[in-house]
Amino acid sequence: MMKRFSFIWIAMFVLLSDIGVSSAQQPPSDDPTEKIRAIQIEYLSKKLDLTPEEAQKFLPVYNNYTHEVEQLIAERHQKRSQDKIASDNADDAARRNMDKELKYEKRMLDIRSRYSTEFQRVLPGRKAGMVFKTERDFRNIMINHVNRQRMNRMGQGGGLKRRL
């Protein structure tokens, strides 16, 4: 599942490398990460039906949440890179990787649990309960979009085309 989550973030970076984003709150950026973030915030705000007052309270908390999640993911990738360099016994490495993966999952759950409480503090219960689901829906939409783009490129790039 975490490989999929990492793929999602990478896919979103690729997806937005050529998409323009305009936001009423801030000028568009050339940085794909910022474009994705702007689209995601817009999507969350719309799907959660945030009032301006709710958005003003929610968005700083949500930004802190995403920052912590991104830090954890970056730390995980860095450790994986280091582990690839220092691999010795395959069985020992597998055990260590399993332990590390469980620690990572626990830390991710801890972050989500803590922010679930924070979201409930700044949003009505109905909206706070929808944050993680809406975030997941956004990632699924992005994955599907990237997959469609990839299939279109394969079909247009001289690859094998399916004949009907």
Side-chain angles (χ1 to χ4, degrees), residues 142-158:
M142 296 297 284
I143 288 170
N144 290 335
H145 185 78
V146 168
N147 286 339
R148 280 193 305 274
Q149 278 189 332
R150 184 182 304 138
M151 294 304 291
N152 287 341
R153 286 183 187 145
M154 287 175 51
Q156 294 173 358

